[in-house]
Amino acid sequence: QVQLVESGGGLVQAGGSLRLSCAASGRTFSDYAMGWFRQAPGKEREFVSAISWTGESTYYTDSVKGRFTISRDNAKNTAYLQMNSLKPEETAVYYCAAGTSYPVAGSNEYDYWGQGTQVTVSS
C-alpha cells in the first residue's frame, strides 16, 4: 500500500502561482511513477501531468505545457506540481496518484490516490 497526502492548495488570483506537494508513505516511493489529476465540479477527472520513477522524464497535457512543472524528490518521498499563470477555469480539486506504468494519462492506470487538495483561481 502507498498512502498519498496532497497539500498546498488554496485561493489564488488569476495569473498567480501555487505549488502542490504530494507526500508518500508505505512502499518504496521510487518504485512508482507519479501523476497529477484534477476534477472540477460537474466534470470528469482529467490528467494534468506525470513524472517517471527517477524524475528524468515528464509528461503534460497540452493545456498546461509551459506553465506547470512536475517534479519529485525521492529522498523526501514527495512529488510536486508547480503551477504558474493559473486560470479561473483551472479551479478544481487536484489529486496525486501513484502507478507502475509511465507515461500514462488514464486514471485507471494508477493504483493509489490521495484525498485531493482544492485549488481555487479567482478572476
Side-chain angles (χ1 to χ4, degrees), residues 49-113:
S49 181
I51 189 166
S52 64
W53 305 265
T54 62
E56 292 180 350
S57 178
T58 58
Y59 176 49
Y60 299 92
T61 192
D62 286 346
S63 64
V64 307
K65 286 179 181 177
R67 298 187 299 117
F68 288 16
T69 302
I70 191 172
S71 61
R72 67 189 294 163
D73 185 337
N74 286 348
K76 295 183 178 180
N77 293 342
T78 303
Y80 305 95
L81 185 68
Q82 176 68 44
M83 305 186 295
N84 299 329
S85 302
L86 281 160
K87 304 174 182 180
E89 56 265 36
E90 294 179 313
T91 293
V93 177
Y94 283 70
Y95 298 89
C96 68
T100 55
S101 299
Y102 175 86
V104 290
S107 59
N108 59 348
E109 299 283 351
Y110 290 83
D111 302 309
Y112 302 101
W113 292 82

Side-chain angles (χ1 to χ4, degrees), residues 5-9 19-23 36 78-82 96 117:
V5 179
E6 302 96 335
S7 62
R19 188 194 195 202
L20 305 183
S21 298
C22 174
W36 285 95
T78 303
Y80 305 95
L81 185 68
Q82 176 68 44
C96 68
T117 186

Side-chain angles (χ1 to χ4, degrees), residues 21-33:
S21 298
C22 174
S25 61
R27 293 185 176 178
T28 305
F29 182 61
S30 58
D31 285 348
Y32 294 89

